[in-house]
C-alpha cells in the first residue's frame, strides 16, 4: 500500500494513451499490441465509440463490444470494492 498515487496513475496512463487509440490509430500498432488493445478496456474508452460513429464495425461487433464493456465494468466494480475494503482497514491519516 502506498500513500502516493501519482506514480501508479502514470503507470496506468502510459499504456492507456496507446491502447485506447488516442495517440495513434490502433490499426498502426503492431499485431501483438492490436490483440492486447482489442480485449483491453482501453480500446472501449476511445477507439470503440469512434469506430461506431465512423461505421467501421458492424452490429455484431458493437454487441460484442458492449458485452465486453459490461464485463470490464463488473470486474472493476469488484476490484474497487476489494481494494476499498482492504485500504480502509489499513488507512492511517495524519494525526491518527
Amino acid at each position: 500500500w502506498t500513500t502516493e498515487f501519482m506514480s501508479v496513475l502514470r503507470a496506468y496512463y502510459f499504456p492507456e494513451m496507446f491502447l485506447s487509440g488516442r495517440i495513434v490509430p490502433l490499426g498502426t500498432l503492431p499485431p501483438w499490441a492490436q490483440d492486447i488493445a482489442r480485449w483491453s478496456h482501453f480500446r472501449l474508452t476511445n477507439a470503440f465509440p469512434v469506430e461506431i460513429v465512423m461505421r467501421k464495425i458492424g452490429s455484431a461487433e458493437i454487441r460484442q463490444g458492449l458485452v465486453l464493456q459490461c464485463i470490464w465494468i463488473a470486474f472493476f466494480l469488484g476490484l474497487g470494492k476489494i481494494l476499498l475494503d482492504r485500504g480502509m482497514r489499513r488507512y492511517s491519516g495524519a494525526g491518527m
Side-chain angles (χ1 to χ4, degrees):
W1 298 99
T2 180
T3 57
E4 193 271 321
F5 71 95
M6 285 306 294
S7 58
V8 175
L9 182 63
R10 286 186 190 112
Y12 176 85
Y13 190 63
F14 182 74
E16 187 269 338
M17 291 298 286
F18 283 97
L19 297 177
S20 70
R22 288 182 192 215
I23 292 182
V24 294
L26 295 180
T28 62
L29 295 176
W32 61 269
Q34 289 181 25
D35 290 338
I36 293 171
R38 184 175 299 118
W39 296 105
S40 75
H41 64 284
F42 298 124
R43 175 184 165 266
L44 299 171
T45 61
N46 193 49
F48 180 65
V50 170
E51 290 168 355
I52 292 173
V53 170
M54 294 178 66
R55 299 180 189 265
K56 290 196 172 216
I57 57 177
S59 61
E61 293 166 314
I62 291 172
R63 276 192 298 277
Q64 179 187 14
L66 293 174
V67 168
L68 193 56
Q69 280 182 334
C70 291
I71 291 169
W72 278 112
I73 288 169
F75 171 76
F76 281 117
L77 282 173
L79 179 64
K81 176 150 178 41
I82 291 168
L83 292 176
L84 181 66
D85 291 344
R86 289 184 182 178
M88 290 300 284
R89 278 188 253 130
R90 296 180 183 205
Y91 174 75
S92 63
M96 295 183 91

